[in-house]
């Protein structure tokens, strides 16, 4: 009569355990820079797309409400941006001169016809608004970019209050410690996003023209 032999299980030896921990440590060290780089890249892309959508909102509001709409920028340490139907506004949170736009085509607007539209550095941690125009203004009707205020214009014609801008493309640049991206707005108000060539290039974005 044969006896059934009990199966024996063997655990890890100390050397095997140390080797396993060493390999895992190496994999973590090698993977960490790529992980943080991917997070940083995603933040820059998201912020660039968000700014591009705000520019598009300014342009579409000018078309839909038949009013000139301005997008203002502050590139200081506590950078911000905002939309307004006035000549300008202060996009900082501490200001009483809030940036707001109408969502009505009425002539005599009341406060309830406006909504505040602004963003600031606190919403995009770790990112910097390195360059932007002081303001971009969009004309009613076609939504093209327009230039400086003409104080002697005909008040009965809103489109006559401004002169055409001479800058064919306005650029808004967003940076992080690793990456750079831009929002480009041409003379007719069309928005595109891209990343400039070089060390900070984001491969998933279109490369900006030189």
């Amino acid at each position: 009569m044969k006896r059934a032999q009990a199966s024996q299980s063997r655990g890890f030896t100390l050397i095997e355990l140390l080797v396993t921990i060493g390999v895992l440590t190496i994999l973590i060290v090698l993977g960490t820079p790529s992980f943080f780089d991917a997070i940083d890249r995603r933040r820059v892309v998201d912020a660039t797309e968000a700014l591009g959508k705000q520019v598009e909102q300014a342009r579409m509001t000018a078309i839909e409400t038949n009013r000139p709409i301005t997008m203002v920028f502050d590139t200081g340490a506590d950078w911000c941006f905002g939309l307004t139907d006035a000549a300008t506004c202060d996009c900082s949170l501490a200001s009483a001169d809030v940036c707001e736009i109408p969502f009505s085509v009425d002539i005599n607007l009341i406060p309830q016809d406006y909504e505040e539209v602004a963003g600031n550095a606190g919403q995009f941690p770790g990112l910097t608004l390195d360059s932007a125009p002081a303001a971009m203004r969009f004309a009613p009707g076609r939504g093209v970019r327009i230039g400086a205020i003409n104080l002697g214009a005909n008040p009965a014609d809103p489109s006559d209050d401004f002169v055409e801008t001479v800058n064919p493309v306005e650029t808004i640049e967003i940076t992080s410690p690793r990456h750079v991206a831009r929002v480009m707005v041409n003379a007719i108000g069309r928005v595109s996003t891209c990343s400039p060539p070089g060390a900070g290039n984001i491969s998933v974005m279109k490369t900006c023209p030189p």
Side-chain angles (χ1 to χ4, degrees):
M1 184 176 180
K2 295 183 179 179
R3 291 184 178 178
Q5 296 181 350
S7 60
Q8 296 180 352
S9 60
R10 187 172 74 87
F12 287 109
T13 66
L14 179 60
I15 293 177
E16 290 173 331
L17 185 60
L18 291 175
V19 169
T20 302
I21 292 174
V23 171
L24 288 174
T25 302
I26 292 172
L27 292 175
I28 291 172
V29 170
L30 292 176
T32 297
S34 299
F35 175 73
F36 284 110
D37 186 77
I39 292 177
D40 185 79
R41 180 172 62 247
R42 187 70 258 167
R43 285 190 302 141
V44 176
V45 171
D46 288 347
T48 304
E49 291 177 349
L51 270 172
K53 288 178 180 177
Q54 292 300 305
V55 176
E56 290 174 346
Q57 183 182 8
R59 180 174 182 267
M60 291 308 299
T61 302
I63 295 172
E64 293 170 357
T65 64
N66 199 34
R67 288 178 174 80
I69 299 296
T70 301
M71 185 171 185
V72 302
F73 300 90
D74 185 347
T75 57
D78 298 321
W79 59 270
C80 61
F81 61 87
L83 276 58
T84 179
D85 65 340
T88 187
C89 66
D90 188 340
C91 56
S92 65
L93 294 176
S95 174
D97 180 21
V98 295
C99 296
E100 55 185 13
I101 56 174
F103 51 84
S104 171
V105 296
D106 294 338
I107 297 175
N108 299 315
L109 295 174
I110 59 176
Q112 288 78 7
D113 292 327
Y114 283 85
E115 62 177 338
E116 185 175 351
V117 182
N120 58 74
Q123 296 170 306
F124 305 95
L127 304 183
T128 304
L129 188 66
D130 273 348
S131 65
M136 280 191 293
R137 196 161 175 86
F138 298 91
R142 294 177 299 161
V144 298
R145 284 197 295 113
I146 47 182
I149 297 176
N150 177 5
L151 297 178
N154 178 9
D157 183 2
S159 65
D160 191 38
D161 289 347
F162 307 93
V163 295
E164 293 292 338
T165 181
V166 295
N167 191 358
V169 178
E170 291 286 10
T171 301
I172 308 162
E173 186 168 280
I174 302 167
T175 65
S176 74
R178 295 179 176 88
H179 297 105
V180 185
R182 293 173 181 164
V183 177
M184 315 286 285
V185 187
N186 66 14
I188 64 173
R190 184 168 297 170
V191 178
S192 62
T193 58
C194 62
S195 181
N201 179 259
I202 299 174
S203 59
V204 297
M205 299 183 73
K206 180 180 69 175
T207 299
C208 299

